[in-house]
Amino acid sequence: MKDYHVNIFYSDEDDGYIADIPDLKACSAFGETPNEALTEVLKAKESWLASAEAHGKPIPLPEYCPVI
């Protein structure tokens, strides 16, 4: 089963890690470590999907982003 691609990067401005899911508009989270950012963005993903479903909004399918 495909799942959503997650980006994790360090932000000097925020002095921590940002994780985002490009397929889910504005779905991102912050953490002091990469693992914390990942944990938080997975919680955000569940909330994003539940909200979209509750409001009858379209839910995009996960896209596969190969590493080149």
Side-chain angles (χ1 to χ4, degrees):
M1 176 182 160
K2 282 187 174 182
D3 202 351
Y4 294 98
H5 175 80
V6 175
N7 295 316
I8 300 175
F9 57 93
Y10 185 79
S11 169
D12 286 326
E13 182 178 333
D14 297 311
D15 194 27
Y17 292 86
I18 305 295
D20 75 327
I21 300 175
D23 292 332
L24 304 178
K25 187 175 180 173
C27 185
S28 63
F30 172 83
E32 292 185 9
T33 67
N35 276 344
E36 187 178 313
L38 177 60
T39 298
E40 294 302 316
V41 83
L42 293 177
K43 291 177 192 176
K45 176 184 83 168
E46 294 306 316
S47 295
W48 195 104
L49 294 171
S51 179
E53 185 176 355
H55 292 93
K57 302 287 183 179
I59 297 174
L61 295 174
E63 295 289 326
Y64 175 69
C65 296
V67 176
I68 299 175

